Every structure is written in structure tokens, then in C-alpha cells.
Amino acid sequence: MLRLMGLPSLTLNYCILCFLLVYAAASGVENENQKVVVCPFRSIYQFGASLHDTGNLIRVGAIGPTLPAARLPYGITFPGRPTGRWSDGLLIVDFIARAVGLPLLNPYLDKNASFTNGVNFAVTASTALDIGFLAQKGVVVPSITVPLSGQINWLKTYLSSSICAAPSDCKDRLKRSLFFVGEIGRNDITFALVQGRTIQEVAAFVPDITTSVINAVREVIQVGGRRIVVPGTFPLGCFPNLLSQFGTQDPKDYDELGCLRSINNLTIFRNNHLQQALGSLRKEFPDAVILYADYYAAFQSFLARAPLLGFHQNKLYMTCCGSGGGQYNYDRNKVCGSTGVISCPNPPQYIHWDGVHLTQKAHLAISQIVIPNILSRIQCF
């Protein structure tokens, strides 16, 4: 396993890139006629929610700096201080940036930051659907979040005020950029489930979630984006927050990995619906590269091999930073960052950081599956 701490950034970039190329060959991504080519990306633009937020939510109003991700133990593994990432360290988007030789993305709301190599627009707890739409479905969303449509508006403001001195400059920059739209839609589903909506009720507005994501991708293409990656949703039935709330005593309710079947089936339905819509969008924009990143399959693949990767066999579904003990060490009323809640001394042995988000080591394990697959399918312009 690649050691992250103590390596200079250039050495780390080189090591990750070499590892990814070797991994791609070993996993069947590369064959005699196909090699993984790392395109010369100029920038990365990220939309989404907490899985990719590098510090936006902690900068929202007066409440932001008081949120858990603004204080330790968040960031305890890397860089040793809180950054607004909802993890002990790096996220998937961080590993993506390093794999293509770019600096880590700064959050859009950090007005003192450099955005030369892209921007992170993702905001924790954000939804694919607008807050008003979800309210009509009886789902309450935190008012401080920024739905996907709002993040797209941020992109347009950024382009018009920051980097495009002339239309030709903007077109050239975006043509050589990589856009990630998501992973988003997870919160729409999770908020609804924990607030009492049935799986059938949630499934009924999955098409609306898909439409919102597709519309966002369409807008990205219309402003000049040409290489867009749209991740699917992780298997939500494998996460401690939902396992603790919806767990049963019936073994038939769980799959072979120990995850809740019904919630994972809902997630599969959501991902399949998204993939079908992306297929139609590719026909609408044949000159754009629109890729689906299968986070669901990547998570399951790594979960099945987790003990071999150094994760503790008996703690695959336990939170590192949590309270409540029991099977999952998760209590939604006393979460990581709350008074009296401490993190475990060995985060690299855990998949789950706080019951909703993953540890740095889990992000790395998933990245080792996802990134080579993305790079092997990206067309260089």
C-alpha cells in the first residue's frame, strides 16, 4: 500500500501515477492495443456534496466555522488539521487531482485561494434536486446547502468574472479541463429515508434526480466542457448511518457482504436510471466525452477485499469516529466532532470515518479502482 505521509508532493504525484498505470494493466484496463494515457489536463472542476467538499460548507455564513469538519479530529491523518473535508484526510477528488499532476482543488468559497487549476464547487449535504422540490415531497433539507443547480450557477459566475478574458480563452481552458458532476443524489435519497419516506416513495422521484444531474451535465457542455465524468452512488445499504437505523434481525434482509438489500436495490435502480440517461445525452452531444464512474461496483469490489488491504476484519462497518458502541459505533444524535466523541487511534484500519463518510485509506482504495478506469476511457483533445 502506498505510503502517503512524509512524501514530497512531486514524489507522491509520481508514485501515484506509476501505481495507477501498473494497476490498470493488472486489472485488465490495458491490453496490447490500449495503454492508459494521462491527458494534459489544465483544470478540474468538481460538483457534488460531502464526499467531494474540500471546504465550502465550513465557509457558509456564521454557522460554517462551527461545524464538525471545521475542527479536529477531521483532517487528523492529513494534513493534521481540519480543512473542511468530511474525513480524516484526503478525498477521492484529491487523489484524482494528484493522479493527473494538478494541485488539490480549493473550495469556491475560499476567496483567498488560487483557482488557476480548477475549482471545487461541492458543498456538504447538497442535493441534486432543489430544496423546494424536496419540500413538496415532505423532505427537509438544511437551508445552508447549495443544490446542484446553485453550484452550476457558481460555475457560470466564476467563468464570467475570473478566467475568461475572451471567449477563445475560455473555450481553450474548458476544452482541456475535466469536470466531475457528482457524486450527488445520495442526500436526496438518504434525507428522504431517514425522515420516514418509504423506499417506494423515494424511488418515485429518482427520475427527477436523474433529470437534475443530466441538466447540469448539459449546462457544463453548453459553457464549453468537453470531458465530463458522472459518478454513480455508493451502495448506501453498506453505510453505518443507514445500517443502524434500518437494520433488522432477519438475515435475508442482508446481502453476502452484510449490506441492506432493499436500500442497495434502491441505489442500483438510481444508478441504472442515471446510466440510461447518460446514454441518451451522449447522442445529443457526440463531440463530448461523457463517462459514468461506477462508484457502486468499486466500493463493493474493495469491500470484498478489505481485510487483504489492511482493514480490520471485525470493523468493516464500524465508524472510527463515533459514539454509541454496538455493531456500528454510530449514534446520529452524537456524531463525530461532538463533545465527548473521540476518533479511533488507527483510522487506516477502518473503512468508515464518521458513519456517513469514509476514511482517507478507503478513499485511496476506491481511487485505485476508479481512476485507472476513468483515465483509460478519457479522450485527449
Side-chain angles (χ1 to χ4, degrees), residues 105 160 163 172 184 203 214 221 236 259 304 330 341:
L105 294 186
S160 64
I163 70 165
D172 178 67
I184 195 164
I214 294 300
I221 295 172
L236 300 181
C259 306
Y330 178 80
V341 178

Side-chain angles (χ1 to χ4, degrees), residues 267-381:
T267 311
I268 291 171
F269 171 69
R270 187 269 159 155
N271 288 341
N272 287 343
H273 200 274
L274 176 61
Q275 290 181 75
Q276 291 172 6
L278 289 174
S280 298
L281 197 64
R282 293 186 189 102
K283 296 177 182 178
E284 183 180 345
F285 297 101
D287 293 333
V289 177
I290 306 170
L291 301 181
Y292 174 77
D294 197 344
Y295 279 20
Y296 188 103
F299 186 95
Q300 285 204 314
S301 174
F302 124 78
L303 179 59
R305 299 176 292 110
L308 299 176
L309 299 175
F311 296 94
H312 197 294
Q313 174 71 54
N314 298 326
K315 299 177 180 178
L316 299 183
Y317 303 96
M318 292 187 67
T319 64
C320 170
C321 182
S323 178
Q327 189 174 2
Y328 307 114
N329 190 37
Y330 178 80
D331 181 348
R332 64 175 179 170
N333 295 314
K334 198 172 184 181
V335 297
C336 183
S338 301
T339 302
V341 178
I342 60 175
S343 64
C344 65
N346 50 351
Q349 293 186 12
Y350 286 73
I351 292 173
H352 299 280
W353 169 244
D354 58 12
V356 179
H357 310 102
L358 305 176
T359 61
Q360 172 178 281
K361 187 175 178 181
H363 289 138
L364 174 60
I366 294 169
S367 297
Q368 289 168 351
I369 299 171
V370 170
I371 297 176
N373 185 269
I374 293 172
L375 295 182
S376 69
R377 295 183 292 149
I378 284 286
Q379 178 182 350
C380 297
F381 298 143

Side-chain angles (χ1 to χ4, degrees), residues 157-228:
T157 299
Y158 163 76
L159 293 178
S160 64
S161 63
S162 301
I163 70 165
C164 299
S168 59
D169 178 63
C170 200
K171 180 179 180 180
D172 178 67
R173 174 181 289 272
L174 297 183
K175 184 178 180 180
R176 292 192 288 151
S177 298
L178 184 59
F179 289 82
F180 280 80
V181 181
E183 189 263 7
I184 195 164
R186 170 184 180 172
N187 288 328
D188 306 63
I189 294 172
T190 301
F191 288 157
L193 290 175
V194 300
Q195 292 175 31
R197 304 287 81 75
T198 67
I199 286 180
Q200 292 73 24
E201 287 174 323
V202 177
F205 61 79
V206 161
D208 299 293
I209 295 174
T210 299
T211 297
S212 179
V213 173
I214 294 300
N215 287 341
V217 176
R218 183 179 288 110
E219 290 195 68
V220 166
I221 295 172
Q222 289 171 344
V223 299
R226 284 298 176 266
R227 290 177 290 191
I228 304 99

